Amino acid sequence: MYLREIKEILDAEVIVGQDRLDVDVTCAGVADLISDVLAYVTPGCLLITGLTNPQVVRTADVLDISAIILGRGKKFSSETVRLAEELNIPVLATDYILFEIVGRLYAKGIRGCIEKVGSK
Amino acid sequence: MVIGDDFDHAGEASRNIKTILKQINLPNDVIRKAALISYESEINIVSYARKGIIRLTILPDHILIEAVDEGQGIPDLELAMQPGWSTASQKVREMGFGAGMGLCNIKSFSDIFHISSEVDKGTHLKASIKLKGNTDD
Ligand SMILES: Nc1ncnc2c1ncn2[C@@H]1O[C@H](COP(=O)(O)OP(=O)(O)OP(=O)(O)O)[C@@H](O)[C@H]1O
Ligand SMILES: [Mg+2]
C-alpha cells in the first residue's frame, strides 16, 4: 500500500516527505520502547509510535524503516522534524490513537512485521 | 567519539558504520546487524558512561564492533544481560529507552559476543558478525 493511501486512511498530516508518498509498504510494527523496536522491526516496515524525540528518527534510520506514523495527536519537536528531513524519512502524524491506527491499517491489509516473537 | 549524555548525536557512529559497510558492498543482513549493535552500544554509552568509542574492524571473514567506554561500569554483568533489567533514568526512559533489551539485542545479533566491565572504570563490549553463512534470518 502506498503512503499516500495510508495518509488518507489515517486522516494524517504529512510532516516530512511530501515527495515520498509513493513509497510502498506492506508491514508495520508498533512500539513506544526503542529497544523493543530494534529487536523485531524489519527493514521497509512502518513504525507506529507515540515517541517524539530525535532518537525515534535515528532508530528508523538505523533500521531502514520506510516511514514513521506518529499517533495520538503527538507532535515532533522542530529538532526531530529537522533530523527526519536530513535523513529523508517520511513522517505522517494523525490524531488516531495507536490502537485505531493499527486496526484501520490491518483492515486494509497491512500486516505485522513478524507475527509472534521467535517466529521471524 | 561518543560523549555521555549527548543524546543529540547518539546514532551518528552507527550511521557512519552503515555508510562504510555499504561502500564495501557487504550483505544487507550484515549491515543491519552491525548498525543495530553499534546503535544499542552508542545509546548505552550516552546513557550510562562518561565517554567512549565505537570501533569497527573489517576482517576477511568477519567484522568486529567494539564499544569501549570510561564510566561507572556494570557491577553485575549477569543481571545486566537479563532481558528487562534496566537502571535507566527517567530522562532516558522518556526518550523511549530503558526496556532492558539493549544488551540482549546486541548478543542475539552477533555471532560472537563478549562483554567485560570494571566498576568506576568502564565497560568493553565486543561483538563480531560472520560474513559467510549470514543470510537473512
Ligand atoms: N556502557 C555501560 N556502562 C554502564 N552501565 C551499563 C552500560 N551498558 C549497560 N549498562 C547497564 O546495564 C543495564 C542493561 O542494559 P541494556 O542495554 O540491556 O538495557 P537498557 O539500556 O536499560 O534499556 P534498552 O537498551 O532496552 O533501552 C542498563 O540499564 C545499565 O544499568
Ligand atoms: Mg541499552
Side-chain angles (χ1 to χ4, degrees):
Chain A
M1 184 185 296
Y2 294 120
L3 273 185
R4 180 173 297 105
E5 299 166 69
I6 291 173
K7 170 185 182 291
E8 293 307 318
I9 295 166
L10 299 177
D11 193 14
E13 186 191 342
V14 182
I15 308 294
V16 177
Q18 195 67 55
D19 53 334
R20 307 230 5 231
L21 296 179
D22 52 354
V23 169
D24 195 11
V25 284
T26 54
C27 61
V30 185
D32 274 359
L33 281 172
I34 288 178
S35 291
D36 270 353
V37 186
L38 291 171
Y40 72 84
V41 171
T42 49
C45 264
L46 281 180
L47 172 59
I48 301 166
T49 186
L51 290 172
T52 57
N53 60 76
Q55 286 310 321
V56 72
V57 175
R58 289 277 180 203
T59 306
D61 180 52
V62 169
L63 290 172
D64 292 322
I65 279 170
S66 57
I68 300 172
I69 308 286
L70 184 60
R72 49 173 130 81
K74 294 273 186 175
K75 300 270 180 289
F76 269 8
S77 65
S78 54
E79 219 187 317
T80 311
V81 172
R82 214 175 315 121
L83 188 63
E85 279 166 353
E86 185 190 322
L87 299 178
N88 203 12
I89 296 167
V91 179
L92 304 185
T94 169
D95 287 338
Y96 284 117
I97 60 167
L98 303 194
F99 184 87
E100 288 292 329
I101 295 173
V102 173
R104 277 157 210 268
L105 295 182
Y106 197 95
K108 300 283 184 177
I110 300 280
R111 291 295 175 262
C113 36
I114 60 168
E115 263 187 36
K116 285 184 179 180
V117 285
S119 71
K120 290 200 176 178
Chain B
M1 176 71 83
V2 185
I3 309 286
D5 212 34
D6 181 8
F7 284 93
D8 291 345
H9 296 280
E12 284 178 4
S14 338
R15 198 173 161 75
N16 292 340
I17 285 180
K18 231 171 116 174
T19 310
I20 294 167
L21 296 181
K22 269 186 191 156
Q23 277 165 4
I24 58 167
N25 278 321
L26 289 184
N28 283 334
D29 194 46
V30 171
I31 297 177
R32 174 180 154 76
K33 286 178 179 171
L36 279 160
I37 290 169
S38 52
Y39 186 60
E40 291 278 18
S41 304
E42 243 182 299
I43 296 294
N44 279 352
I45 294 175
V46 173
S47 307
Y48 311 111
R50 251 187 335 273
K51 61 175 184 181
I53 52 159
I54 308 282
R55 190 186 303 135
L56 169 72
T57 314
I58 302 166
L59 294 147
D61 59 343
H62 70 278
I63 59 172
L64 177 67
I65 296 157
E66 283 173 282
V68 186
D69 71 50
E70 292 169 23
Q72 63 191 42
I74 304 175
D76 186 341
L77 280 172
E78 212 174 305
L79 194 58
M81 288 303 303
Q82 271 178 27
W85 166 261
S86 177
T87 62
S89 64
Q90 191 55 33
K91 178 184 168 191
V92 170
R93 284 175 202 274
E94 272 164 18
M95 278 182 269
F97 299 104
M101 291 304 294
L103 293 173
C104 310
N105 285 348
I106 294 172
K107 192 176 180 189
S108 71
F109 288 115
S110 39
D111 291 303
I112 301 173
F113 171 83
H114 184 78
I115 185 167
S116 59
S117 189
E118 213 177 312
V119 173
D120 290 336
K121 286 252 167 69
T123 302
H124 190 152
L125 180 150
K126 278 185 183 178
S128 78
I129 307 167
K130 278 192 297 190
L131 296 182
K132 289 208 183 75
N134 227 329
T135 47
D136 279 275
D137 54 356

